């Protein structure tokens, strides 16, 4: 009986250490489970997207997605489109540009294009004027702080000296995109992001 009690006391004393080890094992197990989940996701994408013949064609634009300034890979897709069709004047118009650091034309601007941004927020325009001061001074970027409507869009284009045929038009004004796009009748963008 003495031996049994002695063994029980030893076990009882070891319980905090055992619990500590179990907690550590649980934490490690959780980390390994996260890694396993990531591997399963990567494998799923590899088998069902990257190796899928439906998406394997070099003609598929999703193969060229990458993001520098865009929100969802548009930088790469836009670059690939112009690799395929060429450019005419490397002129873009984008409205709804935010602060200029996450949109569809900043990457093109960095690559030497010229363009016209229209943004309704004075706060965002102030930020753009600071961040892109040199490009505005060199007249590679024109910025207009105003709200766009279907009724004023072509007047704004004329005011911004937008060429009749421009390479890119990107519209992101949350809800009125279609109506503004429909009102643009005297300008012919070669590529439209809507």
């Amino acid at each position: 009986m003495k031996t049994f009690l002695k063994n029980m006391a030893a076990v009882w004393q070891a319980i905090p250490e055992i619990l500590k080890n179990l907690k550590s094992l649980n934490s490690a197990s959780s980390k390994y489970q996260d890694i396993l989940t990531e591997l399963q996701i990567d494998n799923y994408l590899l088998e069902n997207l990257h190796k899928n013949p439906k998406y394997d064609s070099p003609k598929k634009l999703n193969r060229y997605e990458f993001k520098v300034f865009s929100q969802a890979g548009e930088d790469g897709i836009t670059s690939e489109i112009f690799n395929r069709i060429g450019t005419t004047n490397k002129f873009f118009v984008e409205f709804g540009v935010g602060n200029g650091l996450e949109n569809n034309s900043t990457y093109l601007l960095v690559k030497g294009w010229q363009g016209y941004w229209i943004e309704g927020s004075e706060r965002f325009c102030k930020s753009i004027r600071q961040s892109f001061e040199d490009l505005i001074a060199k007249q590679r970027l024109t910025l207009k702080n105003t709200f766009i409507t279907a009724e004023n869009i072509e007047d704004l284009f004329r005011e911004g000296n937008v060429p009749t045929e421009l390479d890119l038009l990107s519209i992101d004004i949350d809800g009125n995109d279609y109506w503004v796009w429909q009102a643009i009748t005297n300008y012919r963008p070669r590529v439209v992001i809507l």
Side-chain angles (χ1 to χ4, degrees):
M1 184 71 160
K2 244 183 181 180
T3 305
F4 175 76
L5 290 174
K6 192 176 186 182
N7 287 341
M8 286 304 290
V11 168
W12 188 255
Q13 287 177 336
I15 286 179
E17 187 66 28
I18 291 170
L19 290 175
K20 181 179 167 186
N21 288 338
L22 283 174
K23 186 176 181 181
S24 177
L25 282 173
N26 188 31
S27 176
S29 173
S30 178
K31 288 177 187 175
Y32 288 126
Q33 185 62 41
D34 291 346
I35 292 169
L36 180 60
T37 300
E38 285 181 32
L39 288 172
Q40 289 171 329
I41 290 169
D42 289 345
N43 185 56
Y44 178 84
L45 290 173
L46 179 67
E47 295 299 321
N48 294 292
L49 181 62
H50 301 296
K51 287 186 178 179
N52 186 330
K54 178 179 176 183
Y55 301 107
D56 195 36
S57 169
K59 293 180 180 179
K60 297 286 185 179
L61 289 173
N62 63 323
R63 295 171 49 101
Y64 301 94
E65 288 180 10
F66 66 80
K67 174 184 172 176
V68 180
F69 294 100
S70 62
Q71 292 179 340
E74 295 92 338
D75 290 331
I77 290 172
T78 303
S79 293
E80 179 58 23
I81 289 170
F82 286 110
N83 283 340
R84 294 179 188 189
I85 68 170
T87 58
T88 58
N89 52 21
K90 292 188 176 184
F91 193 94
F92 63 81
V93 172
E94 183 165 3
F95 34 97
V97 296
N99 67 4
L101 299 176
E102 188 177 59
N103 62 40
N104 295 322
S105 58
T106 302
Y107 182 65
L108 299 173
L109 187 61
V110 169
K111 290 178 65 177
W113 286 44
Q114 179 181 358
Y116 183 41
W117 284 350
I118 308 169
E119 173 57 48
S121 165
E122 175 56 40
R123 181 174 55 91
F124 284 149
C125 286
K126 182 180 179 183
S127 177
I128 290 168
R129 285 185 201 100
Q130 291 171 347
S131 299
F132 296 89
E133 178 180 12
D134 60 328
L135 295 171
I136 293 170
K138 292 176 185 174
Q139 298 181 341
R140 288 210 17 242
L141 178 63
T142 302
L143 175 64
K144 177 72 175 177
N145 179 208
T146 192
F147 288 97
I148 296 169
T149 65
E151 293 76 27
N152 74 0
I153 189 59
E154 289 210 336
D155 290 335
L156 291 171
F157 275 34
R158 279 188 286 282
E159 183 181 324
N161 296 315
V162 174
T164 304
E165 184 174 297
L166 60 149
D167 277 324
L168 177 72
L169 171 62
S170 180
I171 304 172
D172 185 7
I173 49 175
D174 300 331
N176 289 320
D177 299 20
Y178 172 78
W179 303 110
V180 172
W181 167 238
Q182 186 179 33
I184 299 171
T185 58
N186 293 306
Y187 295 87
R188 294 181 309 281
R190 297 179 68 232
V191 174
V192 177
I193 302 173
L194 186 58

